Amino acid sequence: RLPVAEELAPRARHGFAANSLLCRAALAGGAIDAWSFTAVRIASGAAALVGLASLGGKRGEGRGSFLSALALYGYAGAFSLAYLSLGAGALALVLFASVQATMLGWSAWRGARPSARELGGFALAFVGLVVLMLPGVSVPDPLGLALMTLAGVAWGAYSLRGRTAGAPLVVTRDNFVRALPLALGALCAALVFGTLHVSARGLALAAASGAAASGLGYSLWYLALSRLTAVRAALLQLSVPVLAAALGILLLDEHLTWRLAVAGPLVLVGVGWAVLGRRS
């Protein structure tokens, strides 16, 4: 029996948080450029998913789509480029505000209205996110702001399309494979018009981001999405910055701050209140 959505979604969110850490370690440290990071991330994710699908006997044509692949690459590419010009605080606020606006706006347009409990949980969680991120935000670079907004809209669209996509592993595999030509084409254009730099550490971080955190994480997310409303799927993602901050303390020797100590419980309680309130 497949686990229920509330058991699957936290595992997917761990993948999202790990992606944030791997991207931070690779790009902020200058180990690799954004175009190469994105291309390796997509290629390694596609390779891992093709292998997993083959081991599972799922060699047939997937049921992904070009639009989903475009949204996937739009998110991954814009996120990497924006990371070079936005601080972590501004990055998280802009990204998750854009994701929420896309998913909640689509849900409202389709006639689904969030309950009072979901609105209250969203408000509490978003206050926690602002507490966590806002003190570290400076005036954002306009290009970085536009890129991160694009990344949030693309991820929101990718998540929405996943709610009715079908077999998660096969669909995610197909989306990554379809996104690979986009990634390679952008990499070739960047090579012609700019300069690229790649180190062994950068390649390893990008490959880990693609194969494990992206490929497996996004498959779990698509599996959870089939059991979640658009509103709840949007709300669950607000906990990702808290998980990323906690992993940064454990793995990157970052320090526990009062902001995380206050914001973490606010976000998690808000998400839990909104998402788990109807389980009984």
Side-chain angles (χ1 to χ4, degrees), residues 12 16 19 41-53 58 60-66 68-73 155 158-159 161-180 209-226:
F16 300 155
N19 251 331
R41 179 181 176 183
I42 296 295
S44 58
L49 289 167
V50 167
L52 285 173
K58 299 177 180 179
E61 181 69 19
R63 288 173 288 174
S65 69
F66 176 75
S68 293
L70 183 62
L72 173 64
Y73 182 72
W155 180 253
Y158 187 75
S159 295
R161 292 183 63 83
R163 295 183 60 241
T164 56
L169 181 62
V170 176
V171 170
T172 308
R173 175 205 67 186
D174 196 46
N175 287 336
F176 268 79
V177 170
R178 289 170 185 262
L180 186 55
S209 173
S214 296
L216 296 179
Y218 295 178
S219 297
L220 286 172
W221 183 236
Y222 260 28
L223 184 55
L225 282 170
S226 64

Side-chain angles (χ1 to χ4, degrees), residues 45-174:
L49 289 167
V50 167
L52 285 173
S54 298
L55 288 174
K58 299 177 180 179
R59 296 183 174 84
E61 181 69 19
R63 288 173 288 174
S65 69
F66 176 75
L67 287 178
S68 293
L70 183 62
L72 173 64
Y73 182 72
Y75 159 72
F79 181 89
S80 298
L81 291 170
Y83 214 101
L84 301 177
S85 57
L86 284 181
L91 182 148
L93 282 176
V94 175
L95 175 65
F96 286 95
S98 301
V99 172
Q100 305 307 307
T102 301
M103 298 189 71
L104 295 178
W106 172 261
S107 180
W109 184 72
R110 294 295 299 269
R113 299 290 186 268
S115 67
R117 189 185 201 103
E118 288 170 335
L119 288 174
F122 171 79
L124 184 61
F126 201 79
V127 167
L129 183 61
V130 171
V131 169
L132 178 64
M133 299 299 177
L134 193 56
V137 173
S138 57
V139 178
D141 171 69
L143 178 58
L145 183 65
L147 286 168
M148 191 50 67
T149 301
L150 174 62
V153 172
W155 180 253
Y158 187 75
S159 295
L160 287 168
R161 292 183 63 83
R163 295 183 60 241
T164 56
L169 181 62
V170 176
V171 170
T172 308
R173 175 205 67 186
D174 196 46

